[in-house]
Amino acid sequence: MGNKVVEIREALREAIDEEMERDNRVFVMGEEVAEYNGAYKVTKGLLDKWGPERIIDTPICEEGFAGLAIGAAMTGLRPIVEFMSFNFSFVAFDQIVSTAIKMYYMSGGRYSVPIVFRGPNGAAAQVSSQHSHCVEALYGNLPGLIVIAPSNSYDAKGLFKAAVRNNNPVLFLENELDYGIKSEIPEGEYLIEIGKGKVIEEGSDLTLVAHGRMVKYAKEAIDRAKKKGISIELIDPRTIKPLDIGMIVKSVQKTNRLLLVEEGHLFAGISSEIAFQVNERCFDYLDGPIVRVCQKETPMPYSKSLERETLPNPDRIEQAIYKCLDRE
């Protein structure tokens, strides 16, 4: 079998459909996932194929339907819960944090919670302060939860199928602006192991680590730096938790410099954790300080120009590359 080119939303839809075919315990629920075919059309056509018992529209009540899905998972089903935005997961925060991720521990292993919470994470285009949060650092702080953030169609499908089959709660972080991005995936079934990063591009002068939408911006900055003779190794962790720190350490031991890019905020972010772990494991290999490019410490502005200045972008990443290499 060969390959085909699909959008990220199509790759996710294929993953959901295949897992529903494979296991009749898998079902989907969330706001507008059925009759409207999903806010971002990830679930398009699934109601017609699987019916309202397995593709379930919910009221606008994240705390209620998240709790219902957690109960279903505890009693043997495998729910996929769509949040129209991960900003709305905050309404269900108590259900996720106090029940889903603690139940296996608190029940002494009696109750697993095999559930996937999925939907768009981070900023879209001018959706302002209440709809632009990056949640991976908030949720990544909590034991008992797997956090995944794919950057392309291939990873989205393979990791989503692995997430559905996992017996733990999973946060699957997508991006509203990335759903239409296309890339190749195999025609047949495949899974990607959770917790394994990917070297997207090999290099020798600098290691750059980025995840989710930031991979696209990092590639743009790397292409510019190449024209100046700079060789950069780009790593996409793919899974935020568990983190493939071994891959990052191995790369830093080769390049001796590290640049971290994330859409979330600087303070107590994912880049903070990676930087500390690298310092712990290979401090003597570093030829200079670790550099970070993150969202600025402000609520997200509505203004398009201010939004661009607040978020990481290729220009800021390119300047950070030169800073990391002492070429400012």
Side-chain angles (χ1 to χ4, degrees):
M1 286 186 284
N3 291 344
K4 58 185 176 182
V5 177
V6 301
E7 295 178 346
I8 288 177
R9 64 164 58 86
E10 295 172 315
L12 291 166
R13 187 186 307 135
E14 281 192 17
I16 295 169
D17 187 40
E18 289 176 12
E19 291 306 301
M20 292 183 72
E21 182 77 51
R22 188 189 67 86
D23 188 343
N24 62 14
R25 298 173 299 170
V26 177
F27 70 95
V28 178
M29 67 187 308
E31 295 149 346
E32 298 186 343
V33 298
E35 295 287 346
Y36 189 67
N37 286 310
Y40 304 102
K41 307 311 173 194
V42 171
T43 54
K44 183 177 181 180
L46 296 183
L47 173 63
D48 292 339
K49 180 173 181 179
W50 296 108
E53 290 188 355
R54 295 186 70 189
I55 307 294
I56 304 166
D57 275 332
T58 66
I60 302 174
C61 182
E62 288 80 7
E63 183 178 21
F65 67 74
L68 190 154
I70 292 164
M74 290 171 58
T75 52
L77 300 180
R78 305 187 82 86
I80 298 168
V81 176
E82 176 178 314
F83 290 123
M84 193 180 295
S85 164
F86 259 99
N87 299 272
F88 306 155
S89 75
F90 299 153
V91 181
F93 195 77
D94 185 49
Q95 294 285 5
I96 297 169
V97 172
S98 298
T99 306
I101 69 176
K102 294 182 173 70
M103 184 53 64
Y104 184 78
Y105 175 81
M106 293 180 68
S107 69
R110 184 178 178 187
Y111 292 108
S112 295
V113 186
I115 187 170
V116 180
F117 298 101
R118 57 154 295 269
N121 175 54
Q126 291 185 277
V127 291
S128 195
S129 300
Q130 292 183 326
H131 295 77
S132 299
H133 295 97
C134 280
V135 304
E136 53 264 50
L138 288 170
Y139 286 110
N141 179 256
L142 305 166
L145 189 62
I146 293 169
V147 183
I148 299 174
S151 64
N152 57 75
S153 301
Y154 176 81
D155 292 344
K157 181 176 179 180
L159 284 166
F160 195 87
K161 287 172 70 68
V164 173
R165 298 185 194 189
N166 197 282
N167 288 325
N168 300 287
V170 178
L171 252 61
F172 201 89
L173 307 179
E174 303 150 18
N175 187 282
E176 178 182 336
L177 299 176
D178 285 353
Y179 283 127
I181 293 176
K182 295 181 177 181
S183 58
E184 280 193 351
I185 68 170
E187 291 280 0
E189 182 181 67
Y190 66 96
L191 279 76
I192 296 172
E193 183 180 352
I194 292 171
K196 296 293 182 183
K198 178 166 67 175
V199 177
I200 295 177
E201 192 166 329
E202 294 190 355
S204 56
D205 295 329
L206 168 68
T207 298
L208 195 161
V209 179
H211 68 270
R213 183 167 175 77
M214 293 300 104
V215 172
K216 174 186 175 183
Y217 291 162
K219 286 179 178 177
E220 290 181 36
I222 287 170
D223 287 343
R224 297 178 194 175
K226 277 183 183 176
K227 296 175 182 177
K228 299 187 178 182
I230 298 172
S231 174
I232 298 174
E233 185 145 296
L234 176 59
I235 293 177
D236 179 358
R238 302 194 290 193
T239 303
I240 303 302
K241 194 174 185 180
L243 177 70
D244 192 352
I245 191 64
M247 176 176 284
I248 297 169
V249 166
K250 183 178 178 181
S251 178
V252 172
Q253 288 173 340
K254 178 176 71 172
T255 67
N256 308 117
R257 295 181 188 272
L258 178 60
L259 171 60
L260 301 166
V261 178
E262 72 169 303
E263 186 178 331
H265 290 290
L266 191 74
F267 189 87
I270 301 302
S271 58
S272 303
E273 178 63 28
I274 295 173
F276 184 84
Q277 290 199 35
V278 168
N279 269 315
E280 269 190 319
R281 289 166 167 82
C282 57
F283 177 80
D284 290 339
Y285 286 89
L286 289 167
D287 287 342
I290 297 171
V291 176
R292 294 181 289 167
V293 179
C294 304
Q295 186 178 153
K296 294 180 179 177
E297 293 294 294
T298 176
M300 184 62 66
Y302 173 74
S303 160
K304 187 178 293 186
S305 58
L306 291 177
E307 181 183 66
R308 174 176 166 78
E309 289 303 310
T310 300
L311 289 166
N313 58 59
D315 293 340
R316 287 180 60 197
I317 297 169
E318 183 184 9
Q319 292 307 309
I321 289 169
Y322 305 143
K323 178 180 180 181
C324 209
L325 294 168
D326 297 323
R327 298 189 189 182
E328 289 183 282

